[in-house]
């Protein structure tokens, strides 16, 4: 049973436009949410995170929104750049700082020049 | 080193053989995690070490899988009597705390033929 879901396997966006990647989760005990980015033949790299006490966190072109009542989060990238083309994983963890992180299946983003 | 190092980068083994996968975490990172990623899926949690001890091994699929971290730094994931279904990319990550996200290595691609 998947606890973290990313229902769009792929997404194509024009360069300069906004990319919106969506994620849903089922476990209400998750306390911390993260986004990772992965290029081929490399390990995932941490991108941005948000605590369950917040509803928005912004870092440069990347913003993560959290809607706890809907158990939904999204990652906005604006403006999108060709170098953003990668697989994006939504992930969630529990209450302690070392809790294991549960990953979604990923969304492959293609930014078209 | 500057990042998480995993060796070998690729391993091809025959069904039924024993394999060892090595992970060198970032110096000073006390937490070390093993994940497995199959094609088209997100990383799947296997085991987490805090120091030398396995704090959570709930993700190990069966008793053919075992991991050690005898001195609290380098870790070895051991797979006995390999099966074709064990073929995947095995990812190692280390962390000071999950609040900042893990740092992943590039993974070991294991192919069982």
């Amino acid at each position: 049973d998947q606890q973290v879901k990313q229902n769009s396997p792929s997404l194509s966006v024009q360069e300069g436009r906004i990319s919106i990647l969506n994620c849903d989760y089922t476990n209400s005990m998750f306390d911390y949410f993260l986004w990772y980015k992965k290029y081929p033949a490399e390990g995932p790299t941490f991108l941005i995170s948000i605590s369950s006490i917040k509803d928005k966190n912004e870092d440069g072109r990347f913003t993560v929104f959290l809607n706890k009542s809907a158990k939904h989060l999204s990652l906005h990238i604006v403006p999108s750049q060709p170098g953003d083309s990668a697989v994006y994983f939504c992930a969630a963890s529990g209450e302690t700082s070392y809790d294991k992180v549960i990953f979604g299946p990923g969304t492959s983003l293609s930014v078209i020049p | 080193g500057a990042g998480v190092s995993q060796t070998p980068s690729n391993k091809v083994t025959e069904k039924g053989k024993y394999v060892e996968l090595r992970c060198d975490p970032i110096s000073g990172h006390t937490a070390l995690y093993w994940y497995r990623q199959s094609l088209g899926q997100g990383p799947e949690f296997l085991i987490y070490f805090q120091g030398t001890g396995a704090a959570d091994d709930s993700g190990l699929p069966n008793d053919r899988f075992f991991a050690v971290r005898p001195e609290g730094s380098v870790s070895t994931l051991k797979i006995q009597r390999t099966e074709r279904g064990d073929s995947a990319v095995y990812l190692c990550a280390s962390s000071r705390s999950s609040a900042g996200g893990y740092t992943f290595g590039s993974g070991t691609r294991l192919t069982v033929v």
Side-chain angles (χ1 to χ4, degrees):
Chain A
D1 183 30
Q2 248 182 11
Q3 298 187 67
V4 179
K5 304 178 184 183
Q6 293 175 260
N7 293 323
S8 297
S10 61
L11 175 68
S12 283
V13 171
Q14 204 75 30
E15 180 179 4
R17 303 280 187 138
I18 185 171
S19 296
I20 301 176
L21 297 97
N22 291 303
C23 176
D24 297 287
Y25 61 96
T26 58
N27 189 341
S28 57
M29 297 302 290
F30 285 144
D31 207 43
Y32 202 75
F33 303 90
L34 310 95
W35 285 92
Y36 282 80
K37 174 178 173 179
K38 185 182 183 304
Y39 294 117
E42 295 183 12
T45 55
F46 171 73
L47 193 56
I48 192 170
S49 62
I50 188 167
S51 165
S52 62
I53 62 172
K54 296 186 174 181
D55 55 16
K56 177 182 174 182
N57 188 26
E58 189 172 352
D59 183 3
R61 296 186 297 115
F62 302 90
T63 303
V64 56
F65 295 93
L66 174 63
N67 182 336
K68 280 196 72 177
S69 61
K71 294 193 179 70
H72 177 84
L73 64 154
S74 61
L75 174 68
H76 292 208
I77 307 173
V78 56
S80 302
Q81 298 173 355
D84 295 331
S85 297
V87 177
Y88 289 79
F89 293 103
C90 174
S93 67
E95 293 178 325
T96 70
S97 61
Y98 291 99
D99 269 358
K100 67 190 179 194
V101 174
I102 307 298
F103 286 81
T107 295
S108 179
L109 173 66
S110 295
V111 179
I112 303 161
Chain B
V4 177
S5 175
Q6 291 188 248
T7 54
S9 55
N10 280 284
K11 176 73 177 176
V12 180
T13 191
E14 291 181 349
K15 179 175 176 297
K17 298 287 188 183
Y18 167 83
V19 294
E20 289 189 354
L21 311 179
R22 177 187 167 107
C23 173
D24 263 290
I26 291 173
S27 178
H29 281 192
T30 57
L32 184 147
Y33 306 80
W34 283 99
Y35 281 77
R36 174 170 74 173
Q37 185 175 15
S38 300
L39 197 62
Q41 298 181 22
E44 173 194 6
F45 171 80
L46 296 177
I47 186 170
Y48 145 55
F49 287 90
Q50 182 64 261
T52 60
D56 183 348
D57 65 357
S58 61
L60 294 177
N62 51 59
D63 61 6
R64 295 186 298 106
F65 288 76
F66 189 72
V68 295
R69 195 185 184 199
E71 296 177 359
S73 56
V74 171
S75 176
T76 306
L77 178 66
K78 309 180 181 196
I79 311 174
Q80 298 178 320
R81 305 183 304 279
T82 51
E83 299 177 357
R84 293 198 178 89
D86 299 335
S87 297
V89 175
Y90 288 80
L91 293 163
C92 177
S94 68
S95 174
R96 288 190 193 274
S97 86
S98 66
Y102 301 161
T103 300
F104 278 92
S106 297
T108 294
R109 179 175 296 279
L110 175 67
T111 305
V112 182
V113 296

